[in-house]
Amino acid sequence: ILQMKKMTDTGNNEPLSKATKEEKYTIEKRRNKHAPLEVSSKQRVSRFRQVVHVPQAKRRDPRFDSLSGELKPDLFDKSYSFIDEYRDKEIEDLKAALKRDGKLRRKKNRKGRKGKKILEESEKSEMMAKLTRLQQEKAARKRNRTSRKVKSKANKLESEKVAAGLKRPFYLKKRDLKELELKEKYEGLKNEGKGKLDKYIAKRRKKNAQKERTLLPWQQ
């Protein structure tokens, strides 16, 4: 019965072939690209389909895009120097709060003057951790700036010597760069005051002595 039905649908006595099925669902081409797309009613329409073409926005990361230009650390530090002032103020506020809490704890009462209370242990730990983090970040920024300054000065001096024909191009090794950074650090501490330089030298000696002590063989 199905075979007869297929034969009557085509109008001849031959079964409906695969090519005839494809021709049955063919759609005439659009007159131009702006004309609406005609879809056969014989085919099931997909549940998800794009009705209107929306151009997809291309996102870019400014850190790795050439359109953002080249990063100049010195110019960046100069432009955003006010952030360092905020950080320094935050460090001073944390130090003042911890110092005030220490005074209140020494008085051994829960309330100080003007109803001030002693900080909770958890709050005090968080403040101390934040203070340590800010101080470490400040020291790291200072080291990076000193390193860039020393490297820039050394490269400028080398370029002048090469331009004058006194020597061939030479790139500083990490060891030489580290020695220049240490020299720059000593000069900075010397300019700040004798006390800071002596304190730093004593600290370095103590650290080196501890390192040498660990390398000695263990004795009873």
Side-chain angles (χ1 to χ4, degrees), residues 68-79:
S68 301
E70 184 182 357
L71 175 63
K72 298 180 180 179
D74 296 334
L75 181 61
F76 180 85
D77 292 341
K78 186 177 180 180
S79 302

Side-chain angles (χ1 to χ4, degrees), residues 122-138:
S122 59
E123 188 177 1
K124 183 181 177 182
S125 301
E126 289 179 2
M127 291 176 68
M128 292 178 67
K130 188 175 183 181
L131 177 62
T132 304
R133 178 174 57 81
L134 290 173
Q135 289 175 338
Q136 290 176 350
E137 290 176 353
K138 183 179 179 180

